[in-house]
Amino acid sequence: MSNVESQREFNRQITNGRNIAIVNIMEFFTFEHIQNPDLQDVAGACAQFACDILSLIETDSAELTTGLRKLLEAKDCFVRAAIAPF
């Protein structure tokens, strides 16, 4: 099993029984496909935080979905910041 598959399997486990919107958003937090170790660390930190939040908040809601979506947007910004030449 590849690292990406193992991360996806972990996401499936942590989202088991959750709302489909939560399941779908968590798929975008995989990071093992990123080859640059520094960028992988940045994306991985965001993925870990998303998992921590799901462990803390057990009730699915629109606010939880929105929070995860915004964290996903922030992850993208953090990764771009890590590769920015300025």
Side-chain angles (χ1 to χ4, degrees):
M1 184 180 306
S2 74
N3 287 337
V4 174
E5 289 174 7
S6 60
Q7 177 65 37
R8 287 197 172 123
E9 180 57 33
F10 177 76
N11 282 351
R12 283 187 204 98
Q13 291 173 7
I14 200 164
T15 59
N16 187 31
R18 304 299 294 248
N19 181 284
I20 190 66
I22 303 290
V23 174
N24 289 342
I25 289 171
M26 288 302 292
E27 284 292 317
F28 291 108
F29 281 101
T30 59
F31 58 90
E32 281 83 0
H33 64 284
I34 300 172
Q35 294 182 8
N36 181 309
D38 294 334
L39 300 181
Q40 195 176 70
D41 288 346
V42 170
C46 292
Q48 182 60 55
F49 184 65
C51 291
D52 292 346
I53 289 297
L54 286 182
S55 295
L56 293 170
I57 302 173
E58 297 178 0
T59 303
D60 296 344
S61 66
E63 291 301 318
L64 177 59
T65 303
T66 300
L68 288 171
R69 182 175 40 80
K70 290 181 181 278
L71 179 59
L72 182 62
E73 293 170 3
K75 179 208 62 150
D76 293 341
C77 292
F78 297 146
V79 169
R80 285 193 302 271
I83 62 173
F86 41 89

